[in-house]
């Protein structure tokens, strides 16, 4: 049976590109029949990557069947995976997030988690010399994933390994990193077609702090005003999205990639308190700028307080 | 702060040797101050390894303090770890068991789990060429762990990698595998000093099947009669051990390493039913021989039925 390779729901660039990279490796190098799939519609930056490198857009699946062989990449969180994931035959996990607990496997399997910025960086290390056999598109996907997850090395999640591997790939491919990253971020910033609710769910993870459930949403952009001009209606929509998704509050951080800061929306007293207690911010009005804040994983989640 | 490296409670050879190997690697190669510790008294085979290779017996600790840096080896199951494990600062996990779910980490960490017979085999791969700098005792501990977990390559958990690495280590050390393994297994079989309750808890894991909680105990030995001669009193003790440990039934499998079979004790109708439904055995009397059964992980747990 064909092994399905997938990342998390709401696929960003790494969760779209890494399944494609790993399925190539399984098919071409390991002789294992494999197919990349998606658990949702990829974001605009991921679509740019597919278009630029002429990669086929993977099929979107709704769930996995019992005993379906699969490889999970870029997450280990059952909440971000198909409902029947613990019924499937998970063969491997490759990830760079904290161990959440909750995912169980039927037997011992290959699990590789490293504290790097990007899943594709770990894959580069695992594939090793066999990468010489990869087509340009696979190396291009790797480079795109690393530049995306590191925000072109600006994010504090960036490690020396992510950076060195991205430089090596760019050199090999003849890609100008600054120019290519600018095109990627322009694609990611092009969110005018999305509804407020779609924006709030685009890059979003649920976290509970002291009994309060949050949906922590991040929008990384080089054009923050495109989002911030809509902030009144986005804040209104937060209430219905929270109710529909069963959380107490949606938090939205608009990350300005070029100026290396985030703007957090402040629709009510709860979000005001979160901004003050988590980031020591002084809040006036319905938005607050948080200088230097770029990473949910490294800076937002570890500091979140109510 | 010194990083503590430990395996599971009730340390066998792999859970005693692997922390010593990894602490050596962290101290000598990675420049990280580390110390191997134990979560309980090691078994007689592990003590033989320490004695044979003149390794110090690691200190036994009761729990870990908040934010204590630590590396977990040979398990990912919180039930087999210190009570405060989720309060500690877990830096890495190296294991060869199925993902149980329940262990959480504060941030992304290094996790390496592979479906090999032995943790030390994974460490051999991770250490790579740096192993040339290891003293004989560290290589000796590696070899002992692999021969122990594979039962000298007889266990169905054995992979080609475990075997090849053990042969390479034995060649390097000038060890005769057959002779050395016989001495190891003689040490493991010397269980006359242990009480019935100690025997039942020596190498034991808890598993629930269809709502019934079992303590699944295994004794690997080259002298099964030493244990089976005591079976009447061991079966009596099963009741009190089950009550004290909050399980419904203790199952004991006496694995005859040389004859590659297990004898399961049958004190009552529940254990009789388990033997019949799990292994298709025909049970008469208070014990049943299960030909070919040697591995809890590969053969007993996956088939357990009530």
């Amino acid at each position: 049976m064909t092994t399905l390779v997938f990342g998390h729901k709401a696929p960003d660039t790494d969760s779209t590109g890494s399944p494609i990279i790993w399925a190539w490796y399984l098919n071409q190098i390991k002789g294992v029949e494999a197919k990349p799939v998606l658990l949702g519609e990829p974001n605009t930056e991921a679509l740019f990557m597919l278009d630029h490198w002429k990669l086929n857009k993977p099929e979107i699946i709704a769930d996995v069947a019992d005993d379906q062989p699969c490889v999970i990449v870029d997450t280990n969180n059952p909440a971000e995976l198909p409902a029947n994931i613990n019924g499937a035959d998970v063969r491997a996990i490759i990830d760079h997030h904290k161990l959440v607990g909750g995912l169980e496997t039927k037997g011992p399997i290959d699990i590789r988690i490293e504290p790097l910025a990007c899943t594709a960086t770990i894959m580069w290390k695992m594939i090793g010399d066999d990468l010489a056999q990869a087509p340009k598109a696979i190396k291009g996907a790797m480079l795109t994933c690393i530049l995306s997850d590191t925000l072109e090395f600006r994010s504090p999640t960036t490690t020396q390994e992510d950076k060195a591997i991205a430089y090596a790939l760019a050199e090999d491919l003849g890609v100008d990193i600054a120019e290519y990253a600018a095109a990627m971020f322009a694609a990611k910033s092009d969110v005018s077609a999305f509804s407020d609710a779609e924006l709030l769910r685009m890059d979003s993870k649920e976290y509970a702090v002291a009994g309060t459930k949050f949906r922590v949403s991040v929008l990384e952009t080089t054009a923050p005003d495109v989002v911030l001009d809509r902030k009144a209606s986005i804040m209104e929509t937060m209430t219905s999205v929270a109710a529909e998704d069963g959380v107490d509050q949606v938090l939205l951080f608009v990350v300005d990639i070029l100026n290396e800061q985030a703007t957090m929306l402040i629709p009510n007293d709860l979000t005001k308190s979160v901004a003050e207690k988590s980031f020591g911010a002084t809040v006036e009005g319905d938005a607050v700028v948080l200088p230097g804040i770029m990473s949910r994983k490294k800076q937002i989640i570890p500091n979140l307080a109510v």
Side-chain angles (χ1 to χ4, degrees), chain A:
Chain A
M1 197 155 42
T2 304
T3 298
L4 299 182
V5 187
F6 47 82
H8 51 76
K9 295 173 185 173
D12 55 10
T13 300
D14 197 25
S15 256
T16 303
S18 292
I20 294 173
I21 296 163
W22 202 248
W24 167 80
Y25 179 63
L26 290 178
N27 279 310
Q28 301 302 320
I29 305 293
K30 305 297 276 183
V32 173
E33 202 183 308
K35 180 181 155 185
V37 293
L38 294 167
L39 304 186
E41 192 60 40
N43 73 11
T44 50
E45 185 187 72
L47 290 170
F48 166 85
M49 169 183 68
L50 296 175
D51 183 58
H52 185 94
W53 297 100
K54 311 228 176 337
L55 290 159
N56 291 323
K57 182 175 149 188
E59 183 190 334
I60 298 175
I61 61 166
D63 203 351
V64 287
D66 281 338
D67 302 316
Q68 166 66 50
C70 52
V71 172
I72 299 169
V73 304
D74 196 30
T75 181
N76 68 76
N77 187 347
E80 300 174 1
L81 288 163
N84 191 37
I85 192 67
N86 279 333
D89 179 9
V90 179
R91 298 278 173 94
I93 302 168
I94 306 168
D95 187 22
H96 63 122
H97 294 89
K98 68 176 187 170
L99 195 62
V100 171
L103 198 64
E104 296 172 20
T105 64
K106 290 179 176 141
I109 64 164
D110 275 303
I111 301 180
R112 179 98 162 223
I113 303 180
E114 291 190 47
L116 299 172
C118 177
T119 307
T121 308
I122 304 172
M123 291 179 174
W124 186 94
K125 294 170 69 179
M126 294 176 81
I127 293 173
D129 292 341
D130 291 322
L131 192 66
Q133 299 178 50
K136 277 199 161 199
I138 293 299
K139 296 176 186 173
M142 269 187 174
L143 175 60
T144 315
C145 290
I146 301 176
L147 293 175
S148 170
D149 269 2
T150 63
L151 298 172
E152 199 191 352
F153 317 131
R154 291 179 182 89
S155 168
T157 59
T158 311
T159 70
Q160 290 306 314
E161 274 184 301
D162 296 293
K163 210 164 167 173
I165 291 166
Y167 281 125
L169 288 164
E171 173 70 27
D172 183 8
L173 292 164
V175 166
D176 179 312
I177 284 184
E179 198 181 299
Y180 181 66
M184 284 170 52
F185 299 152
K188 175 149 55 186
S189 305
D190 182 16
V191 294
S192 51
F194 295 101
S195 71
D196 294 335
E198 284 168 335
L199 284 185
L200 290 173
R201 290 187 177 116
M202 190 169 288
D203 181 359
S204 183
K205 303 202 177 194
E206 290 184 14
Y207 287 93
V209 182
T212 306
K213 282 194 224 165
F214 293 101
R215 189 180 248 297
V216 184
S217 301
V218 168
L219 285 175
E220 298 162 345
T221 176
T222 51
D225 286 347
V226 171
V227 180
L228 294 175
D229 285 350
R230 290 163 60 177
K231 75 174 185 273
S233 96
I234 291 174
M235 286 193 292
E236 251 185 57
T237 310
M238 281 181 174
T239 314
S240 56
V241 166
E244 279 169 33
D245 297 351
V247 300
D248 299 305
Q249 179 66 48
V250 180
L251 305 177
L252 178 64
F253 298 83
V254 182
V255 172
D256 182 337
I257 300 175
L258 302 180
N259 291 308
E260 306 195 6
Q261 64 185 24
T263 300
M264 180 180 170
L265 301 196
I266 309 291
N268 55 27
D269 285 347
L270 174 59
T271 48
K272 184 167 186 268
S273 163
V274 168
E276 290 168 349
K277 291 189 182 152
S278 309
F279 309 106
T282 308
V283 181
E284 284 168 34
D286 59 4
V288 61
V289 172
L290 306 170
I293 298 294
M294 307 191 74
S295 165
R296 177 170 46 209
K297 183 157 84 176
K298 279 259 187 184
Q299 297 171 305
I300 297 174
I301 294 300
N303 292 314
L304 217 55
V306 187

